[in-house]
Amino acid sequence: MSAPDANVSVVVEYRDSLSKAVTKNVIVVVLSISINYVNVGLVQTFHRHQVFYSNPRYILFFHLVVNDMIQVTLTVLLFVISYVLYKIEVSVCCVFILLALFTTENTPLNLAAMALECYVAVCRPLRHAQICTVRRTLLLIALIWTTSCVSILPDLLVTLATQPLGFFRSRVFCLRETAFPNPHIIRKRDVTYIAYLLAVWLVIFYTYFRILFTATSASGDSRKARRTIVLHGVQVLLCMATYAEPLLKQALQLWFPRSYSDSLFACYIIVQILPRSISPIIYGVRDQTFRRYLRRNLLCRAQRAPERPGDGGPKPAACFCLD
């Protein structure tokens, strides 16, 4: 994951020392464990309280959290593999890359869907219950996955059609460019990323300005909605940096040739890790309803009596965890 897009020979030129490699891997693993630990708490809170099951906003948030957990786990696993094993079989690399690409491209699309839901809640409040139903929300999530599949699966199909069977048994440094080496795939990726960038940002700008013009009163909900859309924009900007990552890597190689490996590591943290670390804060902790249930869930876990020998099992919690 921290290798340039040119070829594997360049990776060898920028191999880190042992101490630097250990430091980078420890940082990445610690960050991933911290992010997933927080996200597991959010998933447990959603699962324990049925009030969230009928709210499209929380369903989209739950999908975002689960998607980010998978994405962080896969990208960190690829990062560690790039240092520990260095090369793996192409068939295994393709599986990891495909799953990582699915979840990576799902995130900005999910954020755009959440911005649309916020727009309907503020600008069309009387029709919100009619437009934003649970069934339509699930269909929207299915559409997000379908869009990502249509964007990514052609890479696999083209590779299967153009590469011999022995290619999938060879060992390579696991990158998208090494797993799917056809040059047409790279050009298709650039076009797709530009289209995604324009579409998602169009949704974000449209929803923000409509909410800005609609929420002219000084009500707290309107101000909070506008702040939420601004945070949506910041979050999408960080997530959409993934689409500019190939150009960014080329620029870093030209600007910082002597510290290229460190620049790529900083790029990986900013593009892959940072957006997933602030999602729980923006969409979970800031939400008053979700924060109340999250606090109740944490208190229940803290007050649960430990299991002792001869007690006949764990003691019940000192508070009610379920509604």
Side-chain angles (χ1 to χ4, degrees):
M1 295 299 296
S2 61
D5 294 85
N7 48 49
V8 179
S9 62
V10 183
V11 179
V12 179
E13 181 181 351
Y14 292 100
R15 289 286 278 184
D16 290 328
S17 62
L18 178 60
S19 60
K20 184 179 292 187
V22 171
T23 302
K24 290 181 178 180
N25 280 271
V26 168
I27 292 174
V28 169
V29 171
V30 170
L31 288 175
S32 65
I33 293 176
S34 302
I35 293 172
N36 283 339
Y37 178 79
V38 174
N39 286 337
V40 166
L42 298 176
V43 171
Q44 288 180 344
T45 302
F46 179 90
H47 178 70
R48 288 175 180 269
H49 304 286
Q50 294 185 358
V51 66
F52 299 125
Y53 295 179
S54 59
N55 192 317
R57 180 176 305 173
Y58 297 115
I59 294 175
L60 289 172
F61 173 64
F62 173 78
H63 175 254
L64 177 68
V65 170
V66 174
N67 184 85
D68 284 353
M69 289 175 61
I70 299 173
Q71 196 272 347
V72 168
T73 302
L74 287 173
T75 55
V76 170
L77 181 61
L78 286 172
F79 187 93
V80 174
I81 287 176
S82 69
Y83 282 93
V84 178
L85 300 179
Y86 188 52
K87 293 183 179 182
I88 60 176
E89 286 192 5
V90 174
S91 57
V92 179
C93 177
C94 287
V95 175
F96 284 139
I97 291 295
L98 286 174
L99 293 176
L101 289 175
F102 285 145
T103 53
T104 299
E105 294 194 7
N106 283 345
T107 300
L109 298 177
N110 197 104
L111 293 174
M114 295 174 70
L116 287 173
E117 189 278 333
C118 186
Y119 158 75
V120 175
V122 174
C123 300
R124 300 288 188 271
L126 299 179
R127 300 190 59 191
H128 180 266
Q130 179 183 358
I131 296 175
C132 300
T133 63
V134 174
R135 181 176 179 273
R136 290 183 177 180
T137 303
L138 297 178
L139 289 176
L140 183 59
I141 293 174
L143 179 61
I144 291 174
W145 279 92
T146 302
T147 303
S148 298
C149 291
V150 170
S151 171
I152 297 169
L153 285 182
D155 297 0
L156 177 62
L157 298 178
V158 171
T159 304
L160 290 173
T162 57
Q163 297 295 331
L165 184 61
F167 169 75
F168 296 95
R169 299 173 181 172
S170 62
R171 299 175 65 87
V172 296
F173 188 87
C174 190
L175 293 171
R176 183 176 185 175
E177 292 75 14
T178 56
F180 309 113
N182 193 296
H184 297 290
I185 294 178
I186 305 300
R187 287 192 286 268
K188 188 270 297 179
R189 179 200 64 187
D190 295 338
V191 173
T192 303
Y193 281 2
I194 292 174
Y196 273 36
L197 184 67
L198 294 176
V200 174
W201 271 108
L202 180 62
V203 171
I204 294 296
F205 278 118
Y206 176 79
T207 54
Y208 171 72
F209 284 111
R210 288 300 302 269
I211 290 176
L212 185 65
F213 292 141
T214 302
T216 55
S217 63
S219 64
D221 291 340
S222 298
R223 290 198 302 269
K224 183 177 180 180
R226 284 183 288 180
R227 289 196 300 267
T228 301
I229 289 297
V230 172
L231 292 174
H232 268 302
V234 175
Q235 175 75 343
V236 172
L237 177 62
L238 292 173
C239 294
M240 297 298 281
T242 303
Y243 298 155
E245 190 175 9
L247 296 177
L248 180 60
K249 286 181 178 180
Q250 294 178 9
L252 290 174
Q253 187 176 6
L254 294 175
W255 296 342
F256 308 103
R258 295 185 177 180
S259 57
Y260 182 61
S261 178
D262 298 332
S263 301
L264 285 174
F265 176 73
C267 178
Y268 170 75
I269 295 295
I270 295 173
V271 173
Q272 299 291 345
I273 300 297
L274 182 60
R276 279 81 196 174
S277 64
I278 64 177
S279 292
I281 299 175
I282 295 178
Y283 309 112
V285 180
R286 285 185 68 253
D287 186 89
Q288 184 177 358
T289 303
F290 200 92
R291 184 171 63 247
R292 182 172 68 252
Y293 285 99
L294 178 62
R295 186 185 300 115
R296 184 182 305 177
N297 185 37
L298 294 177
L299 289 176
C300 288
R301 293 170 60 184
Q303 296 179 11
R304 192 177 299 274
E307 183 179 356
R308 296 179 180 178
D311 287 347
K315 298 293 184 180
C319 58
F320 293 101
C321 295
L322 298 176
D323 292 334

